């Protein structure tokens, strides 16, 4: 067996120490870069997810809106009640004007406006679906004026009306 000198052992230990030290420094800087990149990318990713969620809400609004327009058009074609048909024609005109506005300004809509529009579309769709052409959507009020007319016109006193 060959005898190992003390200096050889010392060099061997220094080499191992430099290797471990280099690995530790590399690991430290790798972890540091990873943490900084996560600190930057997480808010960016969450902002992107929020943008995607608002885009999905906007697409759902357009889908529900187009479905409502389709149902109104079908209701006009299938309705036998003239008052209901007239109401649906007015609703269709309003929906067409709103569709033009949405196409022109869809990028400027805020999340609150999209949510409000979706709520209104659902309520309108519900009102139309409840009636289904059986009766009109609006309530028909009959104005009786007899009480007011009688209070203004004096009552007659006999055959000659007061002469």
């Amino acid at each position: 067996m060959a005898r190992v000198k003390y200096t050889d052992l010392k060099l061997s230990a220094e080499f191992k120490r430099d290797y471990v030290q280099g690995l530790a420094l590399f690991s430290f800087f790798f972890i540091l870069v990873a943490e900084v990149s996560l600190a930057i990318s997480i808010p960016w990713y969450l902002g992107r997810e929020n943008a995607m969620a608002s885009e999905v809400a906007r697409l759902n609004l357009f889908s529900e809106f187009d479905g409502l327009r389709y149902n109104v058009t079908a209701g006009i074609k299938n309705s036998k009640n003239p008052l209901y048909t007239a109401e649906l024609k007015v609703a269709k005109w309003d929906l067409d004007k709103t569709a033009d506005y949405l196409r022109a300004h869809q990028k400027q809509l805020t999340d609150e406006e999209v949510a409000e529009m979706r709520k209104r579309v659902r309520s309108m769709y519900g009102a139309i679906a409840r009636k289904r052409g059986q009766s009109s959507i609006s309530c028909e009020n009959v104005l009786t004026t007899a009480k007011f007319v009688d209070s203004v016109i004096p009552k007659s006193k006999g055959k000659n009306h007061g002469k």
Side-chain angles (χ1 to χ4, degrees):
M1 287 217 349
R3 193 155 167 101
V4 179
K5 295 182 185 178
Y6 176 72
T7 57
D8 292 338
L9 288 175
K10 188 176 177 184
L11 289 176
S12 175
E14 284 180 12
F15 172 72
K16 286 181 183 176
R17 187 183 64 194
D18 288 341
Y19 175 71
V20 172
Q21 181 182 11
L23 184 61
L25 284 173
F26 175 76
S27 299
F28 173 75
F29 285 114
F30 178 75
I31 291 171
L32 184 68
V33 167
E35 286 181 2
V36 169
S37 65
L38 281 175
I40 292 171
S41 65
I42 287 176
W44 174 78
Y45 179 74
L46 291 176
R48 193 172 137 233
E49 285 295 313
N50 189 24
M52 285 185 185
S54 61
E55 189 63 31
V56 166
R58 188 173 284 119
L59 290 175
N60 285 339
L61 166 67
F62 293 142
S63 175
E64 291 172 3
F65 193 79
D66 288 340
L68 177 62
R69 289 175 68 201
Y70 175 78
N71 283 335
V72 167
T73 303
I76 291 170
K77 290 178 184 175
N78 299 331
S79 176
K80 303 208 183 332
N81 184 345
L83 183 58
Y84 182 72
T85 303
E87 290 172 337
L88 287 182
K89 285 182 180 179
V90 170
K92 183 180 182 327
W93 176 82
D94 183 52
L95 290 172
D96 290 342
K97 292 295 181 186
T98 307
D100 292 340
Y101 174 81
L102 287 176
R103 265 189 237 109
H105 302 289
Q106 64 182 334
K107 297 296 181 189
Q108 290 91 7
L109 291 175
T110 64
D111 292 340
E112 293 82 22
E113 291 171 335
V114 169
E116 180 66 26
M117 287 283 296
R118 286 184 74 190
K119 187 172 96 175
R120 289 181 185 210
V121 164
R122 287 179 186 154
S123 68
M124 190 173 181
Y125 185 68
I128 291 171
R130 277 192 303 274
K131 298 298 179 177
R132 290 202 174 114
Q134 297 168 352
S135 64
S136 67
I137 297 170
S138 61
C139 297
E140 190 174 338
N141 293 327
V142 178
L143 182 63
T144 55
T145 60
K147 179 180 174 183
F148 302 108
V149 171
D150 290 344
S151 68
V152 173
I153 298 175
K155 298 199 184 222
S156 62
K157 296 181 183 178
K159 292 185 180 179
N160 58 4
H161 302 293
K163 290 184 184 177

